[in-house]
Amino acid sequence: MTHPAVTDLIARSNRLGSDPRNTNYAGGNTSAKGVATDPVTGEPVELMWVKGSGGDLGTLTEQGLAVLRVDRLRALEGVYPGADREDEMVAAFDHTLFGTGGAAPSIDTAMHGLVDAAHVDHLHPDSGIAFATAADGERLTAEAFGGRVVWVPWRRPGFQLGLDIAAVRREHPDAVGCILGGHGITAWGDTSDESERNSRWIIERAQAYLDEHGRPEPFGSAVDAWAPLPDEERRARAAAIAPHLRGLVSTDRAQVGRFIDDAVVLDFLSRAEHPRLAALGTSCPDHFLRTKVAPLVLDLPATAPLDEVLARLDELHRTYRADYAAYYDRHAEAASPAMRGADPAIVLIPGVGMFSYGATAQTARVAGEFYVNAVNVMRGAESVSTYAPIPESEKFRIEYWALEEAKLARMPRPRPLATRVALVTGAASGIGRAIAERLAAEGACVVIADLDLDRAREVAAGIGGADVAVGVRADVTDEHAVQAAVDAAVLAFGGLDLVVNNAGLSLSKSLLETTVADWDLQHDVMAKGSFLVSRAAARVLIDQGLGGDIVYISSKNSVFAGPDNIAYSATKADQAHQVRLLAAELGEHGVKVNGINPDGVVRGSGIFAGGWGAKRAAVYGVPEEELGAFYAQRTLLKREVLPENVANAVFVLCSSDLSHTTGLHVPVDAGVAAAFLR
Ligand SMILES: NC(=O)c1ccc[n+]([C@@H]2O[C@H](COP(=O)([O-])OP(=O)(O)OC[C@H]3O[C@@H](n4cnc5c(N)ncnc54)[C@H](O)[C@@H]3O)[C@@H](O)[C@H]2O)c1
Ligand SMILES: [Zn+2]
């Protein structure tokens, strides 16, 4: 049975964590202490439940809590070897755990356990961090909170910080919490409600103080050259910059990107002070682990010619990498982990917006959100004081902390298609849908492009949230719609690596029955549609310089000759030859182009469900629902071909195992001798 203290703790954590004004994503932690019965002795035992390492307060569940014995945790004070060896205490926490299971205790466990209060909240609110990073934060804290909130100077999270906060609680009985210099806030209470009230009071009081005392225009005056471009122009500019930029930031390892152009970012970038402030970097320890110590900032007018922008980004990226390596060299010691890559995580383009990057779409999004947090923090701090984040040497001690390195080493191995962005046309149904699902399951971010927007969105939602898949409307016969879909992919995930030309339809008519409109429709969707998609995608692939894959879902009918199929089979043969032509042309850019020849995929196929299946079944004299099995009997392997079988082949073609294969067609037809390739 869940302990009542745990029920309250989870509810409070979810309430606090779901409002971004209270804490940033996965930032902060909460705890409760209470008495339970020790099953070994039958005696009462005081326990602490505290959010464990990782996870987010907004979605915290009981499984995310570490459970420790308070007496043993406090006894650690007796063996504490001092601040210079405080990291050793993290391993010692394991010896204070109660029972089995539960999350691993985080570095912040000490601050919760050592403070003599039943309930403790540690949070990273923008308003609180504005105080924490203001040059005269200590004075401001006294002025705004009059002794009820105490200033604790910056110190890297750990056992000593826990002792510092415990001392504040002892020495200031009237205090309800503290501002942790350069970091965030911690509040406490005798009950869960009281702790939550105190946390909210500090956050709201801090914001009210900034609103009341802050000077207008803390980021300086607006600069004309950096004024936001109009909506459409801005997004077109972002889409034009994104591929080249992604290539740059993927110098050390491939990254996924996210574009954000909300009002907070555009306002910051339009102001005179943004270059100075951006150079100071982010501050909250949680922030810059994801954002890197500082962003890369383009220093050209919003309307500068595109080629000038790209050339300048090349220069700035070179400088960024050199500066980062110099930062590493300035602070690294013999025992420091190796440099983790010198590419930026945040790139700011005045007038256009922000690109954020990470190893997954989720980490890229969170990095962007953290930078928005940082902008809010800078605005608050600059409005009442001067923004003064922790010194560079301390940032390095966080970024290359042995404990962080250990966390990174424990991360699961990335999936085979991690960091790859895929666009699958016609993916709202049948084979395309199966392909999208498989690519996503292998770690790719997927854009579902289809005529049918509602179904495209449904399929995307079924695969996962916006960090995994997005649905867009695209008629592949329309040049502008194709460009818009490719742009949408680039803005959602930073670029594009893998394109599947799958959209199609089949009319199956004899020569004499085939109208010009039939002919045009089939050729428009398949031959011309694939050409348009491949052309728009290839521009991105070439700009990125990261190679890539284009896969055509052609057909057995591209080589097999039979009656009643002139338009469909001819356009499939056109697609098949596009594979060879583009393999020859795009090879020098590292882009592989391959095709798949499926046959008889009845299940899930809109082509078959839309009347064609019924007709075929009537021709063969079998019930429609047995058509798949009937086709299976005609194959060499006697197996029914399913959408997943085609999806498997797409995955294999794009996996690193087939890195040296281009211009190939793979039959996925369970064996049809008449369609053997030779
Ligand atoms: N099903 C088979 O047996 C089989 C065999 C060989 C090849 N293929 C090929 O596989 C592909 C997928 O077929 P399926 O069986 O999954 O069919 P399907 O009808 O289930 O899916 C095709 C999808 O393409 C979309 N689409 C059609 N026109 C479009 C356009 N102009 N722009 C964007 N999207 C468009 C449709 O909305 C649909 O979601 C087709 O190219 C088809 O020719 C299928
Ligand atoms: Zn913290």
Side-chain angles (χ1 to χ4, degrees), residues 141-192:
T141 301
E143 202 174 298
F145 299 99
R148 296 203 63 208
V149 175
V150 177
W151 175 263
V152 175
W154 160 257
R155 165 182 292 288
R156 192 170 72 173
F159 204 82
Q160 188 59 50
L161 183 63
L163 290 171
D164 292 357
I165 299 171
V168 166
R169 165 82 172 147
R170 255 193 331 271
E171 289 156 20
H172 303 264
D174 293 338
V176 299
C178 43
I179 301 275
L180 307 179
H183 180 174
I185 71 164
T186 294
W188 45 76
D190 293 334
T191 65
S192 185

Side-chain angles (χ1 to χ4, degrees), residues 28 124 309 354 409 664:
H124 296 163
V309 167
M354 163 170 70
L664 174 75

Side-chain angles (χ1 to χ4, degrees), residues 607-625 627:
I607 290 178
F608 276 91
W612 197 47
K615 267 197 263 171
R616 300 321 293 168
V619 167
Y620 302 125
V622 296
E624 193 182 344
E625 60 277 14
L627 191 61

Side-chain angles (χ1 to χ4, degrees), residues 25-27 55 255 282 284-293 344-346 356-358 360 362-368 370 399:
Y25 173 79
Q255 300 204 76
T282 50
C284 177
D286 264 25
H287 285 182
F288 62 77
L289 274 173
R290 309 260 203 156
T291 58
K292 278 248 162 87
V293 276
I346 302 288
S356 56
Y357 295 96
T360 65
Q362 193 264 0
T363 48
R365 173 174 59 75
V366 170
F370 281 7
E399 192 176 353

Side-chain angles (χ1 to χ4, degrees), residues 468-494:
V468 183
V470 297
V472 300
R473 195 195 120 79
D475 178 351
V476 296
T477 67
D478 174 350
E479 184 177 3
H480 300 291
V482 166
Q483 189 57 51
V486 168
D487 286 355
V490 159
L491 295 181
F493 298 120

Side-chain angles (χ1 to χ4, degrees), residues 426 429 431 450 474-476 502 553-554 568 572 598 601 605-608:
S429 168
I431 294 172
D450 203 287
D475 178 351
V476 296
N502 167 78
I553 306 304
S554 175
Y568 180 78
K572 284 293 173 191
V601 185
S605 165
I607 290 178
F608 276 91

